[in-house]
Each structure stands twice: as C-alpha cells, then as structure tokens.
Amino acid sequence: MDLLRFSTAGSVDDGKSTLIGRLLYDTKSIFEDQLEAVEDASTRRGEGYVNLALLTDGLRAEREQDITIDVAYRYFATPKRKFIIADTPGHIQYTRNMVTGASTAELAIILIDARNGVLTQSKRHGFISSLLGIPHILVAINKMDLVDWSEEAFDQIAAEYTEFAEKLGVDDLSFIPISALLGDNVVDSSENMPWYKGSTLLHYLEHVNVGAHRNLVDFRFPVQYVIRPDQDYRGYAGRISSGTIRPGEEIVVLPSRKSTTVASIETFDGALEEATAGDSVSITTTEELDISRGDMIVRPGNLPNADTEIDATICWTSDEPMQPNTQYWLRQTTRETKAFISQIVYKIDVDTLHRDEVSQFELNDIGRVHLTTASPIFFDRYAMNRETGSFILIDPHTQNTVAAGMIRSAVRSVEDLPAAEPETDIRPVSPDVVWEAWNIELAERERRNGHKAAVIWFTGLSGSGKSSIARELERRLWNAGTQTMLLDGDQVRHGLNGDLGFTPEDRTENIRRIGELSSLFFRQGAFVLCTFVSPFQADRERARELLPEGRFVEVFVDTPLEECEKRDVKGLYERARRGEIAHMTGISSPYEVPENPEIRLETVGRGLDEVVAELMVRLRDLGVTA
Amino acid sequence: MVLSHDHVHQLESESIFLMREVAAQFERPVLLFSGGKDSILMVHLARKAFAPARIPFTLVHIDTGHNFPETLEFRDRLVDETGSTLHVGLVQDSIDSGRVKEEEGPNPSRNGLQTVTLLDTLAELKADVARGGGRRDEEKARAKERFFSHRDRFGQWDPKNQRPELWNLFNGRRNPGEHFRAFPLSNWTEMDVWQYIADEEIPMPSLYFSHQRNVVERDGVLLAESEFNQLMPGESWDERTIRFRTIGDATCTGATESTAATLEDIIAEVAAARQTERGGRSDDKRSEAAMEDRKKQGYF
C-alpha cells in the first residue's frame, strides 16, 4: 500500500470541513466516540446540525472562534492507499499555515463553491500550491446541489480556473463536481450529474500517480549523523534526498570535494544492494575521510550548485517583520549557516500576482530576495528538487522559524530573470556555426565592473532630444565609474551600416544590426546607450528580445512633431518639407509610438539637467543602476 | 536487499530520520518510555536509527506507581536486551517531597501529577529534548502537534504560537532553559503501528492480547482489578475476556472486551473498531479540551 500526502485549503464556507468529514466518515475513519463528542459539542454550542469542523479544529481557540488557525493533520486509509491530509486554513492571514501544509503535499485539493465561482481565495490557493511545487491540483467544485447540478456552471468555473492556472504552470489540473454535504461524487458517483463521466474524488485520490515527481536522477545524500560505535566503524547516516546509490559507486563529498567509493549501504536489517530517494540508511566508504553533519555526498558527474549567493522566493512566517541587517540562521538539508538578505527584489501580492517594491517583509508576505550565506550551501533549484532546494531562516534571538524559502538559482549574476537568456534565441545563424557559451560570463564581468550591464534604448523623432539626453547621462555615469558605450545613428551609418539607406527594409536591417551590436557590448559588461529614431515597434521589440528581461530599458523621448520641427537642429525637417529627403519619419514615414516604454520623458519647456535627473531616478527605480 | 516503500516503511524511514535529527540537534536527549506499544515501537526505531551503535540516550519512565506488573517486567527485559540505560522518575517521590498533592476522592488519578514529576525529572537529567510516542491520530489537540514541539522555560506548550514546520527541516534551536518534545511517530495511526509490529515481529506485552481478567465497569470504562483500583459501594468484580488497546496508569486505562489473541486478530479488530483507542481512557474524558489543557502544562 502506498502513501499520498495532500493538502486542503479553504474555510468552513467552502465546505472544506464537510468534505474532510465526509471522506473520513465514508472511509470509516471517524469513530463513534469522536462523532459523539462532536455531536455533544455541537449541541452544547446550540448548533442545529453536527458541525464536522469540530473534528478538525482541535484547539480551544479554533472552536471558540469557529475558524481553522493551524494546520491539522488527519489520517485515513482505504484498501488501496493511506492518506495524510494537511488541513489548512484558507484566509489570507494564515498564508504561512497554508505554505506549511503545502510543503510536504503531493496533491492539493482546492475547493470552490459552485455558487460563487472562482474567487480571489481560490486563485491564492492555486498560486501557493504551484509555488510550493505540488504536482497535482484537484479543484473540487462543491455545492453542486445548490446550482441545480448544472453542467454549464461546472464548465464555466473549470474554464475560468484553467485559464488562470496556465499562468502558474501547473502540471496536472483536474476538476470534479461534488456535493460534500450529500456525498455526490465524493465516494460514490452522483446520480444527479449523469453528464459527469470522470472519477469520483476518492477514486481520483486512490489512483493519482504518486511519487512521479520524485527526483530519481540526481543523487544527493546530506549527511545527518555520524554513527561511530568504535574505532573501526564509521557510518554516515541520513535519508537520501534524491537519486539512487549502490555499493562500489564512486562518490564525492562536499565541501571537501574528496572522492571515494561506497563500501556498503547499511540498515539495521542488513546491507542493501541499492538505496533510493526517501530511504534512511547509513553509508560506509572505502577510505576514511573527514565527513560530518552538513556535508553532502554526491556523484562526481552530477554535482549540485555550491554558492553563497542565492536567489530565492520566500514566505515570511514570523510576527516580527524582516530586519534588514540581521544575520539569520539558514538551514538547508542538514546544513546550517549564517545568512543575510542582501536584496529584496519584489513582493508578490498573492491575490493579484502583482509585484510590489517593498523595503521589508511582514508576516505572510511572499516574494523574491537575494541572500548571502557565510559558507556555501549545496543546492538544486526547488523546481528540480524539493529536498535540496528548500530552506528555512531562523531568528538568532528568538530561535523562531521566520521564513521558508525556495531556491530559484544561484545569484551568479545580478540578472533578474535568467530564463530570458539570449543563447536559446532562434536567430539566423551562419552555416556550420556551433554556439559556444561565453568564455567569461557576464556575471564575472559585472562583478569586476561593480555595476550591472544594460541597454538603454532611446527612441523618438529626430530632434526630440535623444542624443543630448543620452550624452549627458553617459557623462554622468562615466564620471561615476561606469563602463559605458554610446551608439548613435551617425556612427553606425558611417561604418557598419554604410550600405543601408532609409527605406523601411533598410531601416529594419539597420536596427537589427544595432540591436546585435548593443547586445555584444552588453555581453562585454557595458552600460550601452542607444539613440535611434527606431520608428517601428517590431524592430525595437527585436532588439529587446536579444537581452535578458529587465536589462533592456526603452526610453521614449516624447517630444511632439511641431516642437521637433521648430528645433530642427540639423535642418532635416526643412529639407524634408521641401521634398529633398524621402522617408523622413514624422513627415513622409510613420513613427509608431512605443506602447509600453519603461520610461517616457517629456522635454517641452524643460531644461536638460531636469530631464536627465528624472531619468537617473527612474533608472535607479528600475534597478538597472545603483 | 532493497527497502520496502510501502506506507509503513515510508513512515519507518521518516521516524528514523526524526530519531537521528533529534540526536544531531540536541545535547541531552531522552526517550519517554511508558511501556505501551508506541514507546516499544520508539525503542525499536531508535535501535534501527543508530545500529550498529547502541541507542545514544537514556530511557525515562515516569512511574505513577500504578503499574500493571506485566508492563514493568517487559520494560526491564527490553532495557536489558538493548543495553540501554533507564531512569525512573517516581510520582510517589513528588508526592513525598510535597511537590504535588494526591487527588482526593474515591478514584484518585495520578495522571495529572505526572506532569510535575516529568518536568522535575527532565530538569534533573538536564534533558533538552524528550522524545515521546504521541501520534496525531490519537486526539484532536495532538493533531496540531509538531514533530519538534517547543516548550518554554516553564515546560509549557503554546499551541497558538507554534513554529511552522516545513518540508523535512526541523528547527530545534532553543534558548537556555527551554526544551523540546519530539514526536517521531506523529504520522502513524493505530493501524499503522499494528501493521508494522506484525511486519517486523516486534514482541509486545501480553496485556495487548486477549485474556481473562476481573474488571469493573465504571462510567463506561472497564477498569481492571488491582491493588490500585478499589471497588465502590454496589460494584463487584466481573471476569471477562478482554485486552488493552492502550497501556498506561492502571487506574485510568480501560480494557476492551476482545477475543483478539494474535496480531492478525488485533489488526482485524482495529480495522473494524468504531471507538478510538483513547476512548477507554477516563483521563481524556474530563473535558472537551482535557488533552490540550494538560499538554499546555507540560504533559506528554
């Protein structure tokens, strides 16, 4: 018989307690004395019905206030499976409890009241479930009896939730229409909903694939305890986080990086031929090495990340807000080290998924941070490995657990979203060219330069002030020690793009080359300023796509045509009006106004200093300059 | 050989992990041993966790003095076999030294008194963690219990303010004077325990198996004849075929009528049971939140 751990989130109103009560009752997991006690308590409380919530809300405070406060664990079994339910509260003020319950779950049941449809709360539960990496999400659309068992109502909710869940990247999403109160589709199929051909909730729970998300590839063995009964025996005890191991296999010990071979894998009941993820064993080695708790045993060809700079999503679990300069204890696998939060990247509004800038996290806040640890930790991305990708932070004074974290990656670079790496971009390549990774990575360059690399793309009509602004900005950055590069039309038109004219096709090719060029300067670690009319949205977008997200800043210098024509520094407008210049943007060629530029600058009636000062503030706000 | 991954062996692996985690994070751990099946299972899992070394901590028995003789015999034999050390904290000592006062009335229970003896014993041993065999399926307050459960300087549990426990990361950090209770069996149910005992062929005290015994029915609880249980006016001993589902203090542990004489019988009985195993415990029946209240004070 196998074991399925699942979480439920919701409040009494959703029928969560009724559903759990129903599952326990129908699988004969509620005992008569428990039911009697609940009946007595319900009567004493003057309730006209048996309040099944009293089964799960075990604390005096919960019963007094009629709410679920803390995670409660419930157990039931069928002939097929044993189940552990982490029953968690649904309200936003108990987000941390939801996170706790979700951390060990393989499946989440999200309850939706068919009358109310998809509420903010249902989305929040889905978001937290996906954040914690729960592989299966089951949406139980409850109280179908109150919507006349309507297939249409069910379909509509399912469609709406599916659309939302696509944003979350949920692997496996299922919907079941139920009535927890009447039992329809909980254990037995519903006679009221003949249109529903899927499985009942219990059947689904009994048959959903468990353990599929277990990582059986990357062998990770955090040493938990050293067993040393006498001088002759040393067993490194622990539970295998992921992967498999056999005697005779070569291993590497972190952080020492010393290699040796597995002599035996031992248990009280005898030596094993093979041990896999989840097994508690002790490993002996052929050579005596200095191995202790907190070390990690891995295979030589498959090493985890080892770093002191961590990019992670955390949930703040303490009543005390985050303290910026506190050194917390960070516990990850069996390893513990001091750590501080070096940067708050953003906080996520769990209801809207909007990212907010904040200066600290408070209870239940979820968001992204960078951490610096005192000694390296050995980890994998949480998405790849829940065991080695998770950590907690502990307050050194109260000793309380103040945050739960999921590692996204090493900070390696100051890059915001490594997913947008241009290496994977599909671009035309010369024949027989094999892509090689950069020899010196951007992160290294940035570390030496002491600032981020970025491309600031100034677009706007000729004469709008792009060049003046960019030149002044470059001078200020340069004086502050920034590696800068300024590209403008005149330079490239005289060399690299000397073969191009001003037809729409040539303009597109012009911008394509400039985009590639600025991307190369960017890779070199420079702060690149580009000033080009670049009238077409598609061309600007192509230049943007060459760079990681957050590193391309489109600055729309928004000066009206009349003003540009009035300034006419180079006399171009006058010539265009006389018909001497074909394809003059604004006159005889269109300018597509940027739809969503990062920064829009107005120049009319303002001095250069004022405009550049504003620009510098905006760049700092975007996080591209310090 | 490879390890089984069925549900009881997944629970076994989890408990062994917890056993080792306690040994690694604490300096002076003890294991609370009552003589019941859960604490016998704990000793079994501790042996597995640290083999081939001996169990690296003391077993502590908080003794109300109201024992079934079978319990003490079994306890002493197990201590011998495993080569462990045993420390007995006597409730009688707490009474004699005036730390607690025996309940008055016809049915004095020493159950509540154990808390003081327990906390005194932990202080005497300078224990910073006590492993208990408590399971979340036993009782509704226990369903809220953490694996690593913090106790303040007064030994108290604050159920509304527990440390969140995520993944397999257990925070046993503590300030001076604070201690922990650790519950490696949290996720086991009564059924899991018996299935595992049968699977592993773990010897159990005879009290768990069906036998003839003189009992008296009082407030729905079958109390066994012993020097600690006195008849009240109008009562008489009645020989019945019984067994015990839990074993604790003889004055408050009720028997159940049963013919289950083997582990297989017991498993079949547990599967069909319509009463919780603690349904026979008069100590839990004192109020709706009796367990929570006792636990807050420092009870097991």
Side-chain angles (χ1 to χ4, degrees):
Chain A
M1 192 153 85
D2 58 18
L3 178 63
L4 174 66
R5 296 172 199 249
F6 67 92
S7 68
T8 53
S11 53
V12 180
D13 307 335
D14 303 320
K16 180 194 63 163
S17 301
T18 314
L19 175 65
I20 293 176
R22 165 73 52 190
L23 278 172
L24 297 177
Y25 190 79
D26 286 0
T27 57
K28 300 194 169 38
S29 312
I30 296 179
F31 297 103
E32 281 166 8
D33 52 326
Q34 282 176 320
L35 200 59
E36 275 168 29
V38 168
E39 280 167 2
D40 284 356
S42 301
T43 312
R44 253 199 322 278
R45 293 154 57 99
E47 290 162 338
Y49 59 101
V50 179
N51 183 353
L52 289 173
L54 295 174
L55 276 173
T56 50
D57 295 340
L59 298 179
R60 191 188 282 277
E62 293 178 318
R63 297 158 87 88
E64 280 166 6
Q65 298 171 50
D66 242 338
I67 48 167
T68 310
I69 294 174
D70 204 346
V71 188
Y73 294 89
R74 292 284 149 191
Y75 304 83
F76 71 99
T78 69
K80 294 226 166 43
R81 242 173 213 176
K82 164 167 170 143
F83 299 92
I84 301 180
I85 312 175
D87 177 24
T88 68
H91 292 115
I92 190 152
Q93 63 266 38
Y94 304 116
T95 298
R96 67 164 173 177
N97 307 85
M98 241 181 287
V99 168
T100 301
S103 74
T104 49
E106 279 195 70
L107 178 145
I109 296 183
I110 294 169
L111 273 154
I112 293 182
D113 183 330
R115 294 171 303 173
N116 301 333
V118 180
L119 299 181
T120 302
Q121 174 166 291
S122 336
K123 293 184 178 175
R124 189 191 321 132
H125 299 161
F127 169 66
I128 290 171
S129 303
S130 78
L131 187 71
L132 272 290
I134 299 181
H136 309 282
I137 292 182
L138 172 62
V139 181
I141 300 176
N142 191 21
K143 306 195 185 180
M144 288 301 290
D145 49 318
L146 301 181
V147 294
D148 286 336
W149 314 104
S150 158
E151 182 176 12
E152 198 190 340
F154 172 77
D155 286 345
Q156 200 183 329
I157 293 170
E160 192 183 338
Y161 204 83
T162 303
E163 191 189 332
F164 164 75
E166 272 166 10
K167 282 189 254 172
L168 302 176
V170 175
D171 293 342
D172 177 35
L173 180 67
S174 308
F175 299 88
I176 300 179
I178 63 166
S179 165
L181 189 69
L182 304 176
D184 290 67
N185 284 338
V186 177
V187 173
D188 299 313
S189 288
S190 167
E191 287 173 13
N192 296 304
M193 292 179 279
W195 48 265
Y196 176 72
K197 308 287 182 224
S199 53
T200 64
L201 190 121
L202 185 65
H203 186 270
Y204 174 86
L205 292 175
E206 284 182 325
H207 293 88
V208 67
N209 193 3
V210 299
H213 72 296
R214 276 200 313 167
N215 181 330
L216 296 173
V217 177
D218 308 310
F219 175 67
R220 307 282 185 258
F221 185 77
V223 176
Q224 191 185 5
Y225 187 83
V226 181
I227 297 174
R228 224 183 156 184
D230 53 56
Q231 292 301 311
D232 302 327
Y233 184 94
R234 262 190 200 214
Y236 304 108
R239 186 150 63 146
I240 299 175
S241 295
S242 57
T244 61
I245 193 76
R246 289 166 162 269
E249 287 189 295
E250 202 188 329
I251 49 172
V252 178
V253 182
L254 298 174
S256 73
R257 291 186 176 266
K258 292 210 169 91
S259 303
T260 182
T261 306
V262 176
S264 63
I265 304 167
E266 307 204 356
T267 69
F268 177 81
D269 302 296
L272 304 182
E273 291 150 32
E274 182 182 80
T276 54
D279 291 349
S280 284
V281 296
S282 43
I283 289 177
T284 63
T285 55
T286 50
E287 283 138 293
E288 278 239 341
L289 296 179
D290 180 20
I291 303 175
S292 51
R293 177 176 166 89
D295 289 358
M296 187 183 275
I297 298 178
V298 296
R299 282 219 185 79
N302 183 338
L303 302 177
N305 293 292
D307 216 314
T308 56
E309 304 287 323
I310 317 294
D311 181 358
T313 304
I314 64 169
C315 172
W316 201 253
T317 59
S318 167
D319 297 325
E320 299 284 321
M322 174 194 291
Q323 298 299 322
N325 294 313
T326 302
Q327 291 187 7
Y328 295 102
W329 288 108
L330 182 147
R331 185 182 294 252
Q332 177 254 358
T333 66
T334 56
R335 199 168 174 83
E336 196 172 76
T337 175
K338 280 283 177 92
F340 65 89
I341 291 153
S342 53
Q343 191 193 338
I344 298 174
V345 184
Y346 52 75
K347 184 189 119 172
I348 302 168
D349 182 319
V350 292
D351 286 341
T352 61
L353 304 188
H354 285 156
R355 296 167 178 185
D356 301 323
E357 254 184 56
V358 292
S359 56
Q360 65 171 19
F361 281 17
E362 293 176 9
L363 179 64
N364 295 321
D365 283 352
I366 292 177
R368 183 159 163 210
V369 298
H370 291 170
L371 292 137
T372 303
T373 59
S375 61
I377 59 168
F378 315 112
F379 63 91
D380 299 283
R381 292 191 302 118
Y382 184 80
M384 297 300 294
N385 197 326
R386 255 175 146 177
E387 297 277 328
T388 58
S390 53
F391 64 87
I392 55 172
L393 295 181
I394 300 167
D395 183 293
H397 306 297
T398 64
Q399 314 287 8
N400 280 334
T401 305
V402 295
M406 289 147 281
I407 302 175
R408 300 167 63 100
S409 67
V411 176
R412 263 182 240 297
S413 75
V414 259
E415 274 176 27
D416 283 324
L417 284 174
E421 280 294 301
E423 279 80 0
T424 54
D425 223 345
I426 304 157
R427 282 185 279 165
V429 269
S430 311
D432 302 314
V433 168
V434 178
W435 178 268
E436 289 254 4
W438 297 97
N439 185 34
I440 293 168
E441 289 207 3
L442 179 60
E444 277 184 69
R445 294 178 189 274
E446 289 184 325
R447 231 170 264 157
R448 179 185 286 181
N449 288 347
H451 63 78
K452 285 187 185 181
V455 172
I456 314 298
W457 190 279
F458 294 85
T459 174
L461 295 169
S462 176
S464 59
K466 300 184 296 295
S467 290
S468 311
I469 296 166
R471 284 164 171 269
E472 178 57 26
L473 176 68
E474 182 184 31
R475 175 52 66 186
R476 292 193 192 184
L477 292 171
W478 174 263
N479 288 347
T482 307
Q483 299 284 335
T484 61
M485 187 63 196
L486 193 146
L487 299 172
D488 69 27
D490 291 344
Q491 285 142 358
V492 293
R493 289 269 180 195
H494 281 120
L496 179 66
N497 291 359
D499 57 333
L500 300 175
F502 290 90
T503 63
E505 293 76 12
D506 279 1
R507 280 179 182 272
T508 294
E509 174 62 9
N510 181 44
I511 297 303
R512 187 191 74 79
R513 292 185 197 174
I514 292 161
E516 291 286 352
L517 181 62
S518 52
S519 159
L520 287 171
F521 279 115
F522 168 84
R523 285 285 149 191
Q524 192 266 335
F527 204 90
V528 191
L529 309 170
C530 299
T531 65
F532 298 93
V533 177
S534 46
F536 304 122
Q537 180 79 22
D539 294 348
R540 296 190 297 261
E541 282 311 310
R542 205 165 306 125
R544 175 191 293 275
E545 280 163 20
L546 296 174
L547 298 167
E549 197 171 326
R551 300 311 191 84
F552 182 93
V553 179
E554 188 173 8
V555 180
F556 175 33
V557 184
D558 191 4
T559 310
L561 178 64
E562 309 82 72
E563 175 74 13
C564 296
E565 204 165 351
K566 204 160 68 190
R567 291 178 190 167
D568 205 2
V569 193
K570 297 175 185 167
L572 293 171
Y573 286 100
E574 205 186 329
R575 290 174 61 201
R577 291 286 182 203
R578 289 203 303 266
E580 290 174 29
I581 301 175
H583 306 299
M584 177 70 192
T585 303
I587 306 291
S588 47
S589 186
Y591 178 79
E592 295 173 10
V593 172
E595 284 164 17
N596 290 304
E598 275 77 8
I599 298 172
R600 198 177 69 87
L601 293 175
E602 287 185 2
T603 63
V604 180
R606 305 175 75 192
L608 183 61
D609 272 352
E610 193 194 331
V611 175
V612 173
E614 188 203 340
L615 177 57
M616 292 193 60
V617 170
R618 303 287 296 280
L619 288 173
R620 194 163 51 234
D621 288 348
L622 287 169
V624 289
T625 57
Chain B
M1 188 179 100
V2 293
L3 293 177
S4 162
H5 292 117
D6 68 10
H7 74 287
V8 288
H9 288 91
Q10 287 187 47
L11 293 171
E12 175 196 64
S13 179
E14 177 179 87
S15 299
I16 291 174
F17 178 82
L18 263 299
M19 287 281 177
R20 290 169 172 168
E21 202 59 19
V22 170
Q25 289 196 33
F26 294 88
E27 282 160 29
R28 298 177 68 89
V30 299
L31 188 152
L32 299 176
F33 185 87
S34 71
K37 65 180 185 310
D38 299 320
S39 56
I40 295 167
L41 174 56
M42 292 270 284
V43 172
H44 181 80
L45 292 165
R47 287 173 88 177
K48 287 201 168 195
F50 301 103
R54 282 195 306 190
I55 299 173
F57 39 77
T58 304
L59 309 187
V60 170
H61 183 202
I62 301 305
D63 186 351
T64 60
H66 297 164
N67 297 295
F68 294 103
E70 293 91 333
T71 307
L72 295 185
E73 278 164 35
F74 193 92
R75 176 193 80 187
D76 294 338
R77 202 166 59 237
L78 189 70
V79 166
D80 269 359
E81 268 174 32
T82 56
S84 350
T85 49
L86 175 74
H87 181 99
V88 180
L90 294 168
V91 173
Q92 189 63 50
D93 287 351
S94 304
I95 295 169
D96 293 346
S97 65
R99 295 276 291 144
V100 294
K101 208 161 168 286
E102 185 109 54
E103 278 187 5
E104 288 173 13
N107 269 311
S109 165
R110 288 183 165 183
N111 210 308
L113 311 187
Q114 290 183 93
T115 300
V116 171
T117 312
L118 171 63
L119 293 176
D120 286 351
T121 305
L122 295 181
E124 185 191 334
L125 296 174
K126 297 194 177 62
D128 50 9
V129 62
R131 290 179 181 79
R135 307 190 324 262
R136 288 171 180 158
D137 82 319
E138 281 181 89
E139 204 280 332
K140 58 187 179 296
R142 286 212 160 138
K144 301 277 175 175
E145 186 64 89
R146 301 292 190 258
F147 281 98
F148 272 31
S149 185
H150 181 257
R151 295 290 183 273
D152 68 13
R153 291 200 302 149
F154 302 95
Q156 300 177 109
W157 182 52
D158 182 0
K160 280 199 285 182
N161 197 18
Q162 301 191 75
R163 293 180 181 179
E165 215 160 59
L166 298 107
W167 299 291
N168 294 309
L169 298 168
F170 299 98
N171 175 6
R173 298 194 72 92
R174 64 221 165 265
N175 284 320
E178 300 173 349
H179 78 275
F180 270 78
R181 300 293 170 80
F183 299 102
L185 303 185
S186 290
N187 278 333
W188 296 65
T189 62
E190 183 187 15
M191 183 56 127
D192 298 330
V193 171
W194 283 115
Q195 283 174 343
Y196 183 76
I197 286 169
D199 218 59
E200 297 271 310
E201 298 173 357
I202 305 171
M204 282 289 138
S206 56
L207 294 166
Y208 282 112
F209 301 93
S210 174
H211 57 279
Q212 305 289 315
R213 190 178 286 260
N214 279 340
V215 292
V216 61
E217 185 166 344
R218 191 180 291 159
D219 300 332
V221 177
L222 291 180
L223 291 175
E225 179 176 13
S226 77
E227 56 177 305
F228 319 111
N229 287 332
Q230 302 300 323
L231 290 177
M232 310 227 307
E235 292 179 337
S236 62
W237 296 116
D238 183 14
E239 193 185 68
R240 303 219 197 146
T241 305
I242 59 107
R243 70 177 199 89
F244 292 90
R245 274 177 85 184
T246 67
I247 297 178
D249 181 290
T251 61
C252 63
T253 305
T256 47
E257 291 196 78
S258 167
T259 56
T262 65
L263 288 172
E264 290 67 35
D265 294 344
I266 290 175
I267 289 170
E269 188 186 279
V270 170
R274 300 309 299 141
Q275 295 278 323
T276 57
E277 59 185 312
R278 292 191 79 92
R281 298 281 287 245
S282 59
D283 47 334
D284 289 349
K285 294 198 167 174
R286 293 190 168 197
S287 91
E288 202 188 325
M291 178 63 97
E292 180 181 346
D293 294 344
R294 275 182 293 154
K295 283 178 71 66
K296 280 180 184 167
Q297 302 302 316
Y299 188 71
F300 300 97

